[in-house]
Amino acid sequence: MIDRTDFLDRFGGVFEHSPFIAERALDAGAVALPLTAAGVHAALTDAFRKASHAEQLGVLTAHPDLAGKLAIAGGLTEDSRKEQAGAGLDRLSPAEHARFTELNTAYMEKFGFPFIIAVKGLDKDDILAAFERRIGNSTDDEFETAKSQVERIALLRLNALLPGD
């Protein structure tokens, strides 16, 4: 049997600041033992996909801007801090930081949620190229792309939490 409190403590933050995803997955009986990254991811992703559009938007807006104000102020979650640092976003030149800020602002104005990308394995140049390419997407296409990136981030986080899967 899965202990609810333990499960929510462990996996409630996999979807950024959105513990309701883990709660719904558990309540739906979608989580089975033994806990594996793939199994927990499937359950959480199903709960995310069944969430309303407004709830999904809330998950997207819970993500921080890349190299944004929260990063500078030290206000990122530990997972986000590590992910952004791993991509070198904590070591931007002033010109690079200005470009990220410009793109973050334009993206948020156009789509209403921050640019989201699973940064593992990418560097700042890869991220900037994706940013510049995706800002030309339609709102519907970008909403779907951002959701798929959130799901990828969740899988990467679960792989770290449940190694050896």
Side-chain angles (χ1 to χ4, degrees):
M1 176 157 186
I2 299 170
D3 179 83
R4 180 180 185 79
T5 301
D6 182 52
F7 183 84
L8 296 178
D9 286 348
R10 193 165 179 198
F11 303 110
V14 169
F15 278 75
E16 193 91 5
H17 297 294
S18 302
F20 79 92
I21 299 292
E23 290 172 354
R24 288 184 186 170
L26 193 59
D27 292 345
V31 181
L33 292 173
L35 296 178
T36 64
V40 175
H41 184 256
L44 297 179
T45 298
D46 185 58
F48 177 57
R49 291 177 183 172
K50 288 178 178 173
S52 71
H53 184 274
E55 289 170 326
Q56 290 174 346
L57 180 59
V59 172
L60 299 184
T61 60
H63 281 261
D65 287 340
L66 294 178
K69 294 176 201 157
L70 277 178
I72 294 166
L76 296 177
T77 64
E78 185 64 15
D79 285 331
S80 289
R81 186 196 63 72
K82 287 179 185 175
E83 291 157 2
Q84 290 197 28
L89 298 182
D90 59 339
R91 298 178 301 279
L92 297 175
S93 71
E96 290 167 332
H97 187 265
R99 183 66 181 141
F100 268 95
T101 299
E102 177 185 322
L103 286 168
N104 279 327
T105 300
Y107 187 97
M108 182 63 93
E109 286 175 0
K110 180 173 181 181
F111 298 114
F113 53 87
F115 177 76
I116 301 168
I117 189 168
V119 298
K120 185 173 178 111
L122 303 178
D123 64 23
K124 61 187 174 188
D125 295 325
D126 298 326
I127 296 164
L128 272 174
F131 218 145
E132 290 172 344
R133 181 180 67 256
R134 285 176 45 195
I135 203 162
N137 284 348
S138 72
T139 300
D140 289 343
D141 286 346
E142 193 54 25
F143 189 77
E144 293 304 315
T145 300
K147 288 191 322 184
S148 71
Q149 289 297 307
V150 164
E151 292 174 4
R152 176 156 169 65
I153 291 165
L155 180 59
L156 293 167
R157 290 177 177 179
L158 286 165
N159 284 333
L161 288 169
L162 296 164
D165 184 14

